[in-house]
Amino acid sequence: LIPLRIEQLEALRAIVGASGIRTDDVAGTLDSGINESNLDAGVVLFPETLEHVQSIVRYCNSQSISIVPHGGRTGISGGAESSIGQVVVQTTRMCGILSFDEDAGTAVVDAGITLEQLQTAVHSHGLSVGIDLAARGTATLGGMVSTNAGGTEAFRHGVMRHRVLGLEAVLPDGAVFDDLKQVAKANERFDIKPLLIGAEGTLGIVTKVALNLVPLASGRITALASCPTVADALRLFRRCRLSPGAELLCVEIMWPDYARTTAEELGKPSLLEFALEPDSLFVILDVASGSGDSGREHFEQILARAFDAQEITNAVVAKNERERNDFWLVRDESFLCDRRYPHGFWYDISVPHRCLDEYSRQLFRAIHDIHPDFKIFLFGHLGDGNLHLTISAGRPMSEFEETVEQAVYGGLRAMGGSFSAEHGIGTHKRAALVRHGCAAKLEIMRAIKQMFDPNNIMNPAKVL
Ligand SMILES: Cc1cc2nc3c(=O)[nH]c(=O)nc-3n(C[C@H](O)[C@H](O)[C@H](O)COP(=O)(O)OP(=O)(O)OC[C@H]3O[C@@H](n4cnc5c(N)ncnc54)[C@H](O)[C@@H]3O)c2cc1C
C-alpha cells in the first residue's frame, strides 16, 4: 500500500480545484457510511462535471492509480471499501435534474442526486421513481444503478435495471460511454448498458442516468397483520394484489424474533401486542388510498375476508401518519437487531414464492441443529421473495461461518433463487460468488472486466 505522491495529489487538485479534493483527516470529517474502511484511501475527489470525471480517470489510468467510485456510501456489501494508494471519486456534487418530461414520465439526472431529492421533485407531478428503499435520503441514483438496487417496490416495478432507459458513464480509459436514451425502444445492438448496471463501479463511473418513471399512487393506507405461517402470508399477498379496486404498493414480512427485538429496541413493543400468538409472523401492507374514505373501507373488507380465510389472525390499520411511520420503523430499523446481538452473519437472498414456506422452516431447523442458541433475525420483501437475515449468537462465532453459509445458501440455486438478491457482491460475497455462482458465467465476467479495464484501475478486487 503506497500512498499517492505529492505530485500526483497536485495533478488531481489541478483537475477538481482546491475545494474538490480532501486529503486531510478524511475519515474524521466525512461519514464513512456503513463500512468503516470506505474512506481508508484518505483521498476523496468531488468532481462537478463530466470533464472532471474524465480527466481524473485518464490521469489515474496513466499513473495506475485505482479508483473507488462512491455515491452515498449506503451500500452494504463492501463495494465502496478503499485503501491507501487509491482515490475515492464521490459523485455527490453532480446532483442535478437535467431534464424532466412530465408527459412521457421520464427524467435525466446526474448520478449524485439522492433518491429522496428525485422523489421530492417528481412526486409533485404525480410521478414516482418506481424504486424505494430506506436509505433514500443518502443513496444516490448512480449508486443505485451500480448496485442494481431493489427495495420495497420491486414486485411492481422491477429493480433498478428495469427503470433505466439510458446511461452516461466514464469508462476506465477515460472514454465517455454516451447511451443516454430517453425512449423505451432503442434497438441499436449490442446493449452494453446492462453490463454497467450492477457492476458496482468495476467497469466505469456512472455520471448520468435516464429513468422511466411510474405513476405515483395517491395516498397510502398501511396495515400490520399477524399471520400463522409463510403460506398464509403469501395467500394474503395474493389476495391483496388481485382484489379488484385495491392497489397493493408494498408488502413486507418479518419473523417474530426480528419484529419483536426491533420493536423493543425502538421502545415500542406495544406496537405488536395486537398479535396474541407469540410465534406470529408480521406482514406490513401499504395500499393506495385513492380519494375519500372508500379506499380504507375496501382495504378493511379485504382484511376481514383474509381473517375469515384464516390467512391472518389479526390486523391493525394505521390511524394516522405517526402510526404508519411506527409500523415502518419496525421494518426499516434492521440494524437494531445487530446492535443487540452483534457479530452476526448477514445474508440477502431470493427465494421463489413456491419454495418460501419450506425454505424458511428448513432454515430454522438447520441453524438450530448447528447451534440451538443461534438467533435468526429474518425479514424481507415478501412480494419478490427477497429475504434479509442475520444469524447471531451475540458473540464472535467465525468457526461456524462456513456451516451457517451452507445452511443458508444450500439449495437456493437448484430452486431458482439467488444467494445475492439486491445488495450486490462487493467484497463480502466474492468468495460466495465463486462457491455458489456459475463457473462459466464467472469466466465471462472476468473476460468482460479485462476488456473494459485492462489495467484494473476501476474498483479493483470488488465483485471478482
Ligand atoms: C438502511 C438501509 C436500507 C437499505 N435498503 C435497501 C433496499 O431495500 N434495497 C437495496 O437494493 N439496497 C438497500 N440498501 C443498500 C444501499 O442503499 C443501496 O445499495 C444503494 O444503491 C447504494 O447507493 P449509494 O449511493 O449509497 O452507493 P455507495 O454505497 O456509495 O456505492 C455502492 C457501490 O456502487 C458503486 N458506485 C457508487 N456510485 C457509483 C457511480 N456513480 N458509478 C459507478 N459506481 C458507483 C460503489 O463503488 C460501490 O461498489 C440499504 C442500505 C441501508 C443503509
Side-chain angles (χ1 to χ4, degrees):
L1 300 177
I2 304 166
L4 265 62
R5 296 192 303 274
I6 303 276
E7 68 271 19
Q8 290 174 323
L9 291 172
E10 286 313 314
L12 292 167
R13 194 184 311 274
I15 295 169
V16 287
S19 65
I21 180 167
R22 292 288 302 276
T23 54
D24 52 318
D25 190 21
V26 164
T29 49
L30 296 173
D31 183 351
S32 65
I34 297 291
N35 198 316
E36 281 175 9
S37 56
N38 282 347
L39 294 173
D40 281 3
V43 181
V44 184
L45 302 173
F46 298 91
E48 292 181 13
T49 62
L50 173 66
E51 291 69 31
H52 281 172
V53 179
Q54 250 191 308
S55 302
I56 292 167
V57 173
R58 280 204 186 111
Y59 179 75
C60 287
N61 198 13
S62 73
Q63 298 285 308
S64 299
I65 299 169
S66 54
I67 294 171
V68 182
H70 278 193
R73 290 191 278 272
T74 66
I76 32 195
S77 290
E81 285 174 8
S82 69
S83 51
I84 290 171
Q86 301 186 316
V87 295
V88 168
V89 176
Q90 182 172 335
T91 59
T92 47
R93 289 192 189 166
M94 300 165 73
C95 56
I97 296 178
L98 305 170
S99 74
F100 172 51
D101 184 335
E102 191 172 349
D103 296 331
T106 59
V108 181
V109 299
D110 280 325
I113 191 170
T114 66
L115 174 59
E116 192 168 71
Q117 285 168 334
L118 182 57
Q119 283 174 334
T120 306
V122 300
H123 282 185
S124 55
H125 297 270
L127 291 164
S128 161
V129 182
I131 303 263
D132 194 21
L133 38 89
R136 61 185 75 79
T138 319
T140 63
L141 265 294
M144 290 170 61
V145 166
S146 303
T147 55
N148 190 24
T152 53
E153 300 186 0
F155 75 97
R156 296 192 296 139
H157 305 304
V159 294
M160 201 62 204
R161 77 166 69 257
H162 303 115
R163 311 272 25 102
V164 173
L165 292 171
L167 278 187
E168 178 193 86
V170 175
L171 302 177
D173 64 356
V176 175
F177 174 79
D178 177 1
D179 195 12
L180 208 51
K181 299 281 188 299
Q182 295 162 51
V183 286
K185 294 176 180 168
N187 273 319
E188 298 178 7
R189 305 287 178 263
F190 297 135
D191 197 359
I192 305 297
K193 65 179 180 304
L195 294 175
L196 288 153
I197 302 172
E200 300 186 41
T202 58
L203 302 181
I205 302 181
V206 175
T207 45
K208 294 188 184 78
V209 188
L211 292 155
N212 200 3
L213 305 169
V214 300
L216 177 70
S218 57
R220 271 171 196 254
I221 314 168
T222 300
L224 188 57
S226 53
C227 292
T229 66
V230 175
D232 294 317
L234 285 169
R235 287 198 293 144
L236 172 66
F237 163 64
R238 191 179 143 79
R239 176 184 295 281
C240 293
R241 191 158 201 214
L242 299 184
S243 284
E247 190 188 352
L248 181 63
L249 305 176
C250 297
V251 54
E252 301 282 301
I253 185 165
M254 300 176 281
W255 271 254
D257 271 352
Y258 172 84
R260 292 188 187 279
T261 305
T262 309
E264 279 167 24
E265 289 291 303
L266 285 167
K268 297 175 187 282
S270 58
L271 282 175
L272 307 181
E273 276 171 5
F274 76 96
L276 301 174
E277 307 76 14
D279 52 354
S280 287
L281 300 163
F282 294 92
V283 176
I284 295 194
L285 301 143
D286 270 9
V287 298
S289 59
S291 51
D293 288 337
S294 59
R296 189 185 179 93
E297 280 162 26
H298 186 49
F299 187 32
E300 285 172 353
Q301 283 162 10
I302 295 172
L303 290 173
R305 283 198 288 275
F307 180 80
D308 291 342
Q310 299 180 344
E311 291 158 11
I312 63 176
T313 50
N314 208 348
V316 275
V317 180
K319 289 187 287 302
N320 49 43
E321 199 55 21
R322 189 182 50 76
E323 242 178 50
R324 185 184 124 66
N325 286 340
D326 278 352
F327 292 172
W328 272 99
L329 270 183
V330 180
R331 155 61 185 83
D332 283 346
E333 295 294 316
S334 53
F335 297 101
L336 294 175
C337 290
D338 300 336
R339 195 171 74 184
R340 195 192 290 184
Y341 295 94
H343 307 294
F345 307 130
W346 73 270
Y347 306 93
D348 159 43
I349 58 171
S350 278
V351 184
H353 276 178
R354 67 186 155 70
C355 306
L356 204 52
D357 190 285
E358 178 51 28
Y359 173 84
S360 55
R361 288 172 199 273
Q362 169 60 27
L363 178 73
F364 276 84
R365 280 195 298 268
I367 297 298
H368 288 145
D369 281 352
I370 296 170
H371 205 299
D373 289 348
F374 284 178
K375 291 252 173 212
I376 305 170
F377 298 112
L378 185 55
F379 69 100
H381 309 295
L382 181 64
D384 56 40
N386 174 191
L387 301 181
H388 300 299
L389 62 143
T390 301
I391 292 170
S392 179
R395 57 179 156 75
M397 44 191 250
S398 53
E399 68 275 27
F400 292 103
E401 191 162 2
E402 259 183 55
T403 343
V404 170
E405 183 181 294
Q406 192 48 41
V408 177
Y409 291 161
L412 281 176
R413 196 163 151 198
M415 67 179 75
S418 174
F419 75 91
S420 173
E422 62 177 4
H423 293 316
I425 301 293
T427 53
H428 299 176
K429 294 197 203 135
R430 269 180 321 189
L433 179 62
V434 174
R435 278 200 287 271
H436 302 276
C438 162
K441 183 179 163 202
L442 210 55
E443 276 315 302
I444 297 170
M445 284 166 65
R446 289 194 181 108
I448 290 171
K449 169 71 175 170
Q450 170 67 21
M451 195 189 68
F452 270 73
D453 187 15
N455 297 334
N456 197 24
I457 62 147
M458 202 56 83
N459 216 4
K462 308 294 165 50
V463 181
L464 294 166

